[in-house]
Amino acid sequence: AAGGDGAGAPGRPYELVVFGASGFTGQFVVEEVARAAAGGELRGGLRWAVAGRSREKLRAVLERAAERLGKAALGAEVGLLLCDVGDAASLAAMARQTRLVLNCVGPYRFFGEPVVEACVENGASCIDISGEPQYLEGMYLKYNEKAAEKGVYVIGSCGFDSIPADMGVLYTRDKLKGTLTGVESFLMVKSGPEGACIHDGTWKSAVYGLADQDNLRKLRKKIGYAPVPVVGAKLKRRGLVFYNQEFKQYSIPFMGSDVSVVKRSQRYLHTELQETPVQYGAYVNVGGLGSVIKLMFAGILFFLLVKFSFGRKLLIKYPEFFSAGRFTKKGPTQKQMDGTSFTMTFFGEGYSEGQDPQNGKPNVKICTQVKGPEPGYVATPIAMVQAALSLLEDAACLPKRGGVYSPGAAFSKTKLVQRLNKRGVEFSVISKPEV
């Protein structure tokens, strides 16, 4: 079987382990794994475990997950592993006991690599939800060859960053009759009367990530990516702020990892599978002029502070103040999460069957959508866990070699989109040829 030992490997008691299970995001991932295990959709039962530093906290998380699923307990079938990201031997011991690790311990630029290393060395695959391009691409540079040798898959950005974008582009491509050459996506996050906020772990990742742009450029030089050819009309770059006729509101470029992740997928699919590469731009709708002005001020302040270590200390210490309440140390309440949802709309253009994309203007358009629940702690665990199930269950459809992959590269031939649709992250075609 693919992936080293394959299914039911002797000496691997678990199919998957959630590492960092008692962290803010980890607890929601545990709940989602418990739901999948109880759902009975899997071939055979799911053998899984939680891992972290404190037995008490891990027990509490399992109790909470059971309660949320309306069960008395998750039972003895769920393993409990004590493991610390600072202790390499404990990480190795964890990796040896499972086919797959779901790594929920961020910011990944500080804590991600030891887990990847332990997994690759010990023949386990690894999935994380990082939205940090520098970490994701750094892992590719260091571990791609080794992972291929061991027949394991290391797949980053399997959360809201960047599964909706990456799989959304592939979905759009598959739904267009003809050749898709360019796509722009627009993200809208709606919140209820309670508002919405994000846990400050994500804020920390953003602060350190933006402080380190120079090193990302150096890293990309070192990897020496082959340029992805532009096929079809060149997608035009939009400004920092622009009025969007489609939505009657202002939009700005999306700051997350989506563009870099989609680009890696498109490069892989082009070089390895000779598929036509799709150009991609990602934007987020921010509302009226008032919102734009507020955002500009916050943005300027952020960029000024993030360049200096004392500025970063301030930003890290007072997330709520500097993000105008968007990021908090406590994270969102259940009520806030219940009232929040997202829609990502993709406008694609391309060439009808029989038209040569190298000649003339695009002559077909398509509009698709990915809709889902609250992005950070509801959609992200769904995306991560469905990616995990795809890796375990659709193993025959994964790339032939192991390696460090983006989601689109790893999952383009699997049933991941169908799996996500069943769990409420829904992909649909809004309009065919004409928008």
Side-chain angles (χ1 to χ4, degrees), residues 28 54 117 123 145 221 229 231 246 261 275 327 346 349 376 379:
F28 297 109
S54 150
E117 188 175 15
E145 282 310 308
K221 266 212 184 81
V231 175
E246 305 282 351
V261 171
E275 292 173 6
F327 291 85
F346 297 81
E349 58 175 34

Side-chain angles (χ1 to χ4, degrees), residues 161-175:
D161 300 280
S162 291
I163 277 186
D166 206 7
M167 299 312 290
V169 169
L170 295 181
Y171 175 83
T172 307
R173 179 198 74 178
D174 293 343
K175 292 298 177 194

Side-chain angles (χ1 to χ4, degrees), residues 94-313:
M94 167 179 73
R96 277 196 291 274
Q97 294 183 66
T98 185
R99 288 175 60 197
L100 174 61
V101 172
L102 273 57
N103 182 13
C104 303
V105 181
Y108 292 94
R109 68 167 51 242
F110 301 130
F111 305 120
E113 182 171 351
V115 181
V116 172
E117 188 175 15
C119 286
V120 171
E121 291 295 336
N122 294 284
S125 291
C126 179
I127 280 182
D128 69 52
I129 46 178
S130 169
E132 306 158 57
Q134 200 182 332
Y135 160 76
L136 296 165
E137 295 176 44
M139 293 305 95
Y140 171 79
L141 181 65
K142 280 181 91 163
Y143 296 100
N144 187 45
E145 282 310 308
K146 194 82 192 257
E149 256 164 59
K150 295 274 193 176
V152 300
Y153 299 89
V154 176
I155 310 168
S157 53
C158 286
F160 179 69
D161 300 280
S162 291
I163 277 186
D166 206 7
M167 299 312 290
V169 169
L170 295 181
Y171 175 83
T172 307
R173 179 198 74 178
D174 293 343
K175 292 298 177 194
L176 183 79
K177 288 221 189 317
T179 308
L180 183 72
T181 57
V183 180
E184 290 181 322
S185 69
F186 293 88
L187 169 64
M188 282 175 79
V189 178
K190 283 207 219 21
S191 53
E194 303 276 327
C197 71
I198 305 170
H199 187 255
D200 81 326
T202 302
W203 175 255
K204 284 186 181 130
S205 302
V207 171
Y208 294 118
L210 285 165
D212 216 8
Q213 288 293 42
D214 296 347
N215 283 324
L216 180 56
R217 279 191 284 276
K218 283 181 194 143
L219 172 68
R220 285 176 174 162
K221 266 212 184 81
K222 206 186 258 172
I223 294 173
Y225 287 126
V228 183
V230 171
V231 175
K234 195 165 163 46
L235 200 60
K236 49 181 193 300
R237 299 269 314 255
R238 296 176 181 253
L240 270 179
V241 179
F242 57 95
Y243 186 71
N244 189 321
Q245 285 301 341
E246 305 282 351
F247 298 98
K248 302 283 180 271
Q249 50 173 297
Y250 287 90
S251 306
I252 61 171
F254 180 66
M255 297 298 292
S257 57
D258 288 1
V259 172
S260 67
V261 171
V262 168
K263 194 161 195 176
R264 283 170 55 216
S265 291
Q266 293 300 324
R267 178 181 288 112
Y268 171 82
L269 295 169
H270 173 67
T271 52
E272 298 295 318
L273 305 180
Q274 287 69 57
E275 292 173 6
T276 305
V278 180
Q279 306 165 67
Y280 175 62
Y283 302 95
V284 55
N285 295 346
V286 294
L289 206 52
S291 310
V292 170
I293 291 164
K294 267 191 228 157
L295 256 170
M296 298 296 273
F297 272 114
I300 290 164
L301 190 61
F302 189 93
F303 280 105
L304 286 174
L305 288 172
V306 86
K307 289 290 171 215
F308 305 100
S309 75
F310 83 91
R312 289 194 290 276
K313 283 196 184 99

